[in-house]
Each structure stands twice: as structure tokens, then as C-alpha cells.
Amino acid sequence: MRYLILSDIHSNWQALEAVLEHAAGTYDCVLCCGDLVGYGADPNRVIDWSRENVQGIVRGNHDKGCAGLDDLDWFNNAARSSARWTQAVLSEVNLEYLERLPRGPLALDGFSLVHGSPLDEDEYVLSDADAAGVSGYLEAPLYFFGHTHIQRGFRLSHPSVWYLGQVGQDRERRRFDLERRYAYLINPGSVGQPRDRDPRAAYAIYDSESRAVTLCRTRYDIPGAQARILRAGLPAHLADRLALGA
Ligand code: ZN
């Protein structure tokens, strides 16, 4: 089975559309590591699509915040105002869908999905030290995670950690063959708000038969997404950062 692994779409319809076009024909099933909404201007369009097309998903912290399941106090100002705006514009059926998203880990075909870390859905796995900190507690040999908006993989052999290389700015795909003697934590990157200094939309393809992961990047209509954010009256900073990938 070939899985399209998405994370941190953040109501960015333009980015999601570009990813689906770029990935067309390379996957059989769609999975998501959370944060469908928050920051961007098209939460209903993204959730309508998710309800129809995503076969496995875990909730993210913005999904919880926008569904009213979590206190917005710890969000920064831009995140909080976009969460309030999202809550106000969501259709009833989409709000219900968001409320019912499961907490990770979600165990699938020999691998698991989480939003933050395998141990805590709200924790960030950014560094090799973060990855080493959870590597003794893994219940699956492969986890896909999100939350950091940084496309990055970690290869683990407790207590050692190696980074998997990134997709270069001049490339669109980079494939890694997984080895049975290691565990892996892999972040497909953020579809709708990348923060790794590459503004292109990010995703991954996992082929469970060949045990290969391909990290992918594709350009999308950033001005279109920015115009939607500004027209919605959301903070201009949320539009600006899309062009920076930061
Ligand atoms: Zn996020």
C-alpha cells in the first residue's frame, strides 16, 4: 500500500490542492498527522475534503483549540485570533468532525501516526536530543509525526540518532529505504505553513511493501493563499510568513 502522508495543512486550500496534484498517481490512501485548521482562511474547504478523503487521522493542537477542546490562552495572538475566527466560520458538521478527531498514536499497517511526539500529542520533536528522549519508549518501528512544520526524519538505534537528509531546494523528491534494524520518526513537513525556510508545500509518500519513504516538496499559489488570509481579516503576519517558509 502506498500512503500519502500529510500534516499541518492549516486551512491552506491552495497548498493542499497543489500537493494533491503533485502526488497524483503515487498513492492509494491518505493519512494526516493533524492540524487541519488554524492560521489559514479555508477551514471548511479543507475539512470537507478531509471528511471525504482522509482514511486515518489524529488531532493536532490547533484542531483541539478550534474545536473548543483546549484553552486558547497558551496560543500566541495570531494563533488565538485565527482559532476564534475558525470557530466562528466552521459549519456545524465540520466542527463536529474536528471535535471527534482521535488523539494519537493511531496504529496502522506496522506504523503509527502522532501529532507531536509518540509520548505526548503536544510535545515538539525538533532535535536529535528530542528524538533520543523518546527512542526507548517506541511501540512501533515507524512513526509519522507533525507539529514542528519542519520536514525531517530521524533514524534511531537507541540511544543513537541520525538525521535523514532533506529535500534540496533544487529538488522535489528524496527517497529513503528503511532498514529493519532501525526505528524511524519521520515528519512529512507542513502542507500549509512550512517553517523550514523552504516555502514549498511539504508531504511524504510511504510505500509499505518496499518500505521506502519519499519526502516531497511542491510549489503552490502562495499569493492566492495570502490574499484569502488578508480578505478574511486574519493577521497579515500569517500571510507574510507563507512566502518565507518561516
Ligand atoms: Zn501545526
Side-chain angles (χ1 to χ4, degrees):
M1 184 78 102
R2 298 166 308 164
Y3 298 92
L4 170 60
I5 318 276
L6 307 177
S7 191
D8 298 279
I9 300 168
H10 283 294
S11 302
N12 187 336
W13 176 254
Q14 281 76 9
L16 176 59
E17 223 178 10
V19 162
L20 297 174
E21 197 175 302
H22 194 249
T26 68
Y27 65 90
D28 311 299
C29 172
V30 187
L31 304 175
C32 180
C33 302
D35 276 1
L36 290 170
V37 298
Y39 299 133
D42 284 298
N44 281 308
R45 235 170 151 183
V46 168
I47 300 180
D48 286 344
W49 173 83
S50 180
R51 284 168 36 219
E52 293 290 315
N53 295 287
V54 174
Q55 280 132 300
I57 183 168
V58 294
R59 67 188 187 181
N61 54 316
H62 287 260
D63 301 324
K64 280 191 289 179
C66 293
L69 297 175
D70 221 351
D71 208 330
L72 298 178
D73 285 348
W74 61 271
F75 274 171
N76 65 38
N77 287 341
R80 191 180 315 121
S81 61
S82 86
R84 293 215 173 99
W85 178 86
T86 302
Q87 252 168 8
V89 301
L90 277 182
S91 68
E92 207 167 305
V93 56
N94 285 345
L95 189 60
E96 241 167 67
Y97 177 81
L98 214 53
E99 281 167 2
R100 289 185 189 164
L101 290 180
R103 172 203 295 266
L106 176 66
L108 296 160
D109 170 21
F111 64 97
S112 292
L113 302 183
V114 295
H115 183 62
S117 98
L119 304 181
D120 179 344
E121 61 180 348
D122 294 325
E123 195 175 282
Y124 291 90
V125 179
L126 277 163
S127 65
D128 51 352
D130 298 334
V134 299
S135 76
Y137 305 95
L138 302 181
E139 288 174 355
L142 171 62
Y143 284 81
F144 290 98
F145 70 101
H147 200 32
T148 64
H149 298 208
I150 292 172
Q151 189 178 50
R152 173 174 290 171
F154 299 95
R155 194 181 76 184
L156 312 169
S157 176
H158 184 69
S160 303
V161 178
W162 297 264
Y163 285 120
L164 301 185
Q166 290 165 317
V167 181
Q169 299 270 353
D170 54 336
R171 301 170 67 175
E172 295 193 334
R173 291 179 177 85
R174 184 157 179 174
R175 177 186 155 126
F176 300 93
D177 292 306
L178 306 186
E179 296 174 66
R180 299 227 173 255
R181 60 199 163 121
Y182 297 114
Y184 293 86
L185 299 179
I186 296 178
N187 188 326
S190 170
V191 172
Q193 197 199 75
R195 293 180 196 161
D196 46 12
R197 300 279 161 192
D198 182 344
R200 295 176 297 170
Y203 68 94
I205 300 287
Y206 172 54
D207 185 329
S208 60
E209 261 162 56
S210 60
R211 286 201 28 101
V213 172
T214 307
L215 299 179
C216 309
R217 302 301 284 237
T218 183
R219 295 188 189 288
Y220 74 95
D221 178 16
I222 292 176
Q226 291 175 317
R228 294 281 302 151
I229 286 172
L230 297 175
R231 208 174 312 142
L234 289 162
H237 164 66
L238 297 177
D240 296 341
R241 69 187 303 178
L242 294 180
L244 304 172

